[in-house]
Amino acid sequence: MPDKELKILIDEQTLCARIKELAQDINAYYGEKDELTVVCVLKGAVMFFCELSKHLKMPLRMEFVSLSSYGDAQKSSGRVSALNLSLPPLENKNVLVVEDIMDTGLTLNFLLDFMRSKCKAKDVKLAVMFDKKCARKFPLKPDFSAFDIDDKFIVGFGLDYMELQRNLPYIGYYE
Ligand code: IMP
Ligand code: MG
């Protein structure tokens, strides 16, 4: 949206402080002894995943999947493209899926179904940076969420508009 002004919604310090708090909740939930596999949903979750992982204390395995549901628009396309879903065997593992934002829930509904049926993980939980509850079309709730957000299109810290702005160190919106 080049004709609109980009405003800061959440600055870097606030964002990182809240992500650290969320990591502490995750540490408290899982404990520090047992292994955890964290699965980053590329591309949007990349910055959140790195920032969160820095503060996780248990032995951590990092895996990456790549999904897309928005295309280049600002509304969900209604379809999920699985660009890369290759994961190691996850039988008997605790898995935490890490996603940038839960909007309609389509993407995570697809991924959680896949993880639960095909990967046979012991337990699959979900951490999101943003929960856009008002846009939800699937009965899904994140287990860990850093911020609730109203129905606003945001960019930065991994989130894109037409593949740009992912590198912003803060969360912005256009006005
Ligand atoms: P869902 O499948 O409708 O829940 O959409 C989830 C995906 O849409 C996220 O992983 C993001 O990539 C993208 N998305 C949803 N809302 C926003 C936004 O406000 N800014 C940028 N991307 C978004
Ligand atoms: Mg995404």
Side-chain angles (χ1 to χ4, degrees), residues 129 154-160 164-172:
M129 182 162 57
I154 53 176
V155 294
F157 220 76
L159 290 153
D160 73 304
L164 294 173
Q165 311 290 31
R166 293 190 196 276
N167 58 308
L168 297 178
Y170 56 84
I171 296 294

Side-chain angles (χ1 to χ4, degrees), residues 41-45 67 99-101 107 159 166:
V41 186
L42 295 172
K43 301 171 195 168
L67 295 176
E99 173 64 312
D100 51 2
I101 185 166
T107 310
L159 290 153
R166 293 190 196 276

